[in-house]
Amino acid sequence: KNFRIWVRYKEGFSDAVRKNVSWHDLWS
Amino acid sequence: PSVAISTSQVRALLLSENRQTNVTTPMGNMMLEIQGDLEIPETSHADDRFSSHEGVDIVKFGLLHVNMETKSATLFIGKKQRLLGSVVKLDTPLGLLKFNHKSGTVEMQDIFSYKVIFKNRPLPIM
Amino acid sequence: STNLYSRLSCDPSYKLVQLTPELLEALTSDEPQLQFKCFDEKRSDVVLCSARRTWLLRQKNHSNTVMLMREFLPEDEQTQEDSSLFGIPRPINDLLGYSRTTYEYETRATEGRINLDLVPIYNGEVNFPGESKLKGRTLKDVFDNSPSSETECKVRWYQLGGCVVNGCPCILSPDMLSNALHVTLMSALAESLDFDRLHPCETYEVVQKDVEKGRSPYVLEVVRTVLAKFGTPNDDETWKLNRRQVAQWYGVRALQKFASRHSVPLEEFLIKWKSTFPPFAGFDIDIKMLRGWFCEPTRGTVQYVSKDTLPVDVKDRFKMLFKLQSQWDLEAFAPFIEDLNTKGLKIDTFIMKYARKRRIGKKIVVCSR
């Protein structure tokens, strides 16, 4: 079996970054 | 450029006051959040866990148990990991938007008021 | 328990948007739907509009895995051995993960803006609109193409001097607006109309009495724009003239006319300003009304400052303003820089980033660092 189902844990959580959204972003 | 958001579905939901009180919404959706990367194969393999649904390849990756009384949740990932988490009410409900690139339309299909979140380091399955 | 499945390739066409109380209210109201709008596809920012409000869309990235799942019936049902249940109850349903997201859209209340591209200026031309590119398009088209709610568009349109002449949406030139305002006031005064209850049609009729026979540029729509720009609506389709706003308009025009090239003593300017009104108009004037439009190069004199000459760069703007006037009252200074305060700081906090504050008696004055 050459596959893995796995959670790679992250120590912290970050959600500080915010940016405006362009029309292209909206549809991407 | 502009696009109207079709909201008839969620409007009917909101006006009927049929709100989400469980992990799944009345429309049958659920939001799962994990503090980490969930690694899943990109291609199918010869294994029981792989199958297809409506012509799309899918894989069974876990088992979820929720206790709505204590709002606690347990998630088993693959055969080796166990995550402990909880059912959390969202401070701000989240609207689910579906963007249809072919027709250039947008529809708000559902509203999430709860999510199941796993923030702790995975434990081994004993 | 629940079996969890996932598509091997997730559908990227789903996104999440935070539903604030204002948005939830818009969703349940009877008004027309929410829309995403934008000035243009390449550079500008997407906004979300209801019938009455506009919000800037902001993308908040995060570092977690968020999977969107829905109930489904697997095509091949498999029985699960007890050993693979890890001691929890048997699964009774199945969920399929169909999408993953790494961000949410937030909304921040903002002012709607009108897209004036291709909207011509009207200065009273006889053959208006001629070959304007906007020919055939309506005011509704202009609003539809603007990143703004319809309600804000309607208010903002008139604030800008927007009008519809010969079926063509246009902006009245400053000269046209000034002349139309003056003629309207003169005619209304002559017929003793109530300035608190001006009806567009009645006002138009009295204006027509006073203009020369032949083609008058002051058509009904122009009069309507004058009342909407310089008035506030009553409940009954009439308008209450905003005297302060009218006085301000005359004041700015007076600054442009009498105090552009060199400064003028304040007392002399006030007399000249008063003389520009229609006779017996009875508008009160106060130089403080014109803050943001003039400086005092020396004590007791005033000089017009054109907004077109103000640098866009904040440091350059502060430098220019202190060159015009070495020391400013805070209230007189603020209107010249508030458009640069894009982060919404308290105005004196913003000013203090680039200038110095001093207290002289009871007043606060601002000067360069």
Side-chain angles (χ1 to χ4, degrees):
Chain A
K1 289 173 188 174
N2 299 322
F3 65 91
R4 188 157 93 146
I5 293 172
W6 186 257
V7 164
R8 189 149 28 121
Y9 182 67
K10 289 183 183 174
E11 280 298 340
F13 168 66
S14 84
D15 68 342
V17 175
R18 284 161 174 83
K19 67 180 191 96
N20 291 348
V21 179
S22 69
W23 195 253
H24 179 257
D25 292 335
L26 194 67
W27 286 95
S28 64
Chain B
S2 67
V3 63
I5 303 171
S6 171
T7 53
S8 47
Q9 196 155 284
V10 294
R11 193 157 178 267
L13 265 177
L14 288 167
L15 292 175
S16 74
E17 303 205 352
N18 186 6
R19 303 297 163 90
Q20 180 183 3
T21 51
N22 210 325
V23 288
T24 48
T25 69
M27 305 282 296
N29 284 302
M30 189 191 89
M31 183 183 294
L32 173 70
E33 185 168 342
I34 299 172
Q35 187 172 306
D37 294 322
L38 175 60
E39 291 176 9
I40 278 174
E42 288 175 10
T43 53
S44 204
H45 288 72
D47 183 277
D48 286 352
R49 285 171 284 181
F50 292 87
S51 59
S52 75
H53 178 71
E54 293 177 353
V56 171
D57 289 337
I58 64 174
V59 65
K60 186 155 128 184
F61 71 86
L63 195 61
L64 174 70
H65 175 65
V66 169
N67 182 327
M68 279 311 286
E69 280 178 17
T70 59
K71 297 274 193 294
S72 62
T74 310
L75 174 61
F76 294 90
I77 295 285
K79 297 183 179 180
K80 301 225 172 134
Q81 291 179 310
R82 177 169 56 107
L83 287 79
L84 301 179
S86 48
V87 178
V88 158
K89 185 159 195 223
L90 299 178
D91 290 333
T92 309
L94 290 170
L96 176 65
L97 294 170
K98 163 80 174 153
F99 286 76
N100 186 321
H101 291 73
K102 268 190 197 160
S103 59
T105 56
V106 181
E107 187 191 3
M108 191 178 295
Q109 291 188 339
D110 204 352
I111 297 177
F112 293 104
S113 302
Y114 289 85
K115 65 182 178 186
V116 186
I117 180 166
F118 296 90
K119 295 194 273 198
N120 298 317
R121 182 178 285 282
L123 303 165
I125 294 171
M126 301 298 201
Chain C
S1 63
T2 304
N3 285 318
L4 299 187
Y5 292 76
S6 172
R7 287 172 51 141
L8 297 194
S9 66
C10 280
D11 184 346
S13 61
Y14 289 90
K15 294 174 197 268
L16 297 169
V17 60
Q18 291 186 359
L19 297 177
T20 57
E22 295 87 10
L23 274 176
L24 285 170
E25 194 191 323
L27 276 171
T28 52
S29 78
D30 286 332
E31 291 164 344
Q33 285 179 344
L34 294 172
Q35 293 186 77
F36 286 122
K37 296 175 111 182
C38 198
F39 256 124
D40 66 62
E41 285 193 20
K42 292 201 180 123
R43 289 162 307 156
S44 57
D45 304 324
V46 174
V47 296
L48 179 60
C49 299
S50 67
R52 285 185 285 138
R53 299 188 59 177
T54 306
W55 297 271
L56 178 67
L57 207 63
R58 299 272 286 161
Q59 179 170 316
K60 185 180 79 162
N61 292 337
H62 62 73
S63 54
N64 282 356
T65 293
V66 169
M67 181 177 275
L68 306 178
M69 312 187 79
R70 65 169 152 255
E71 288 171 338
F72 84 118
L73 280 176
E75 283 164 20
D76 47 355
E77 203 61 66
Q78 290 177 342
T79 46
Q80 206 134 358
E81 293 173 13
D82 281 351
S83 59
S84 64
L85 291 175
F86 312 116
I88 60 169
R90 295 197 143 271
I92 55 167
N93 62 346
D94 306 90
L95 287 169
L96 173 61
Y98 54 90
S99 184
R100 296 200 200 191
T101 67
T102 55
Y103 57 83
E104 294 171 4
Y105 286 144
E106 291 183 333
T107 55
R108 181 194 293 179
T110 190
E111 274 185 19
R113 294 187 295 159
I114 296 191
N115 184 351
L116 294 176
D117 283 359
L118 306 180
V119 176
I121 307 284
Y122 177 60
N123 200 29
E125 300 91 326
V126 171
N127 293 324
F128 188 84
E131 288 311 311
S132 162
K133 286 179 187 168
L134 212 63
K135 211 171 176 176
R137 292 172 74 188
T138 65
L139 189 58
K140 183 176 183 312
D141 293 331
V142 173
F143 290 176
D144 284 348
N145 284 330
S146 297
S148 170
S149 67
E150 193 183 341
T151 299
E152 288 171 289
C153 271
K154 284 177 179 166
V155 169
R156 191 83 188 108
W157 177 249
Y158 289 115
Q159 283 175 355
L160 292 169
C163 196
V164 178
V165 175
N166 296 335
C168 179
C170 57
I171 301 291
L172 301 182
S173 68
D175 283 345
M176 181 69 193
L177 207 38
S178 277
N179 293 339
L181 172 64
H182 198 75
V183 163
T184 300
L185 290 175
M186 297 254 285
S187 306
L189 278 164
E191 297 291 324
S192 304
L193 296 188
D194 180 357
F195 274 13
D196 288 343
R197 310 201 76 78
L198 291 168
H199 192 285
C201 295
E202 189 187 9
T203 311
Y204 167 69
E205 292 297 334
V206 306
V207 165
Q208 294 319 296
K209 277 189 197 174
D210 288 343
V211 297
E212 285 174 19
K213 295 277 180 233
R215 196 205 151 265
S216 158
Y218 309 117
V219 295
L220 173 60
E221 290 306 318
V222 169
V223 171
R224 194 188 302 280
T225 292
V226 167
L227 296 184
K229 178 170 168 63
F230 293 104
T232 50
N234 295 320
D235 290 337
D236 58 353
E237 295 186 356
T238 63
W239 295 83
K240 178 178 176 170
L241 198 69
N242 183 330
R243 291 167 183 275
R244 187 189 166 90
Q245 199 178 346
V246 171
Q248 230 171 7
W249 179 268
Y250 273 90
V252 173
R253 299 286 283 181
L255 279 171
Q256 289 167 337
K257 187 173 175 184
F258 302 116
S260 268
R261 278 198 240 142
H262 43 76
S263 62
V264 165
L266 175 61
E267 290 306 321
E268 184 186 323
F269 172 73
L270 290 174
I271 293 167
K272 286 190 158 133
W273 179 6
K274 195 78 179 175
S275 74
T276 62
F277 290 102
F280 313 112
F283 288 95
D284 294 330
I285 62 172
D286 181 341
I287 194 63
K288 288 180 186 168
M289 286 178 179
L290 304 184
R291 279 175 169 164
W293 296 94
F294 73 97
C295 65
E296 295 176 74
T298 54
R299 202 181 177 84
T301 65
V302 296
Q303 185 162 9
Y304 174 60
V305 176
S306 164
K307 289 202 188 307
D308 293 339
T309 61
L310 293 175
V312 170
D313 174 75
V314 57
K315 286 184 182 164
D316 289 344
R317 187 171 304 182
F318 272 70
K319 194 173 168 186
M320 177 191 169
L321 290 168
F322 289 125
K323 203 171 168 187
L324 289 172
Q325 184 177 324
S326 57
Q327 197 170 272
W328 293 77
D329 285 350
L330 185 62
E331 296 85 11
F333 192 74
F336 282 107
I337 46 82
E338 53 198 12
D339 62 308
L340 296 175
N341 182 15
T342 51
K343 294 206 163 103
L345 300 174
K346 278 180 70 173
I347 199 66
D348 53 345
T349 307
F350 176 71
I351 289 174
M352 286 352 295
K353 289 170 69 150
Y354 306 100
R356 249 187 338 143
K357 208 164 62 171
R358 278 194 345 214
R359 190 175 280 280
I360 298 181
K362 286 185 182 172
K363 278 196 316 181
I364 295 174
V365 296
V366 175
C367 51
S368 62
R369 279 183 179 273

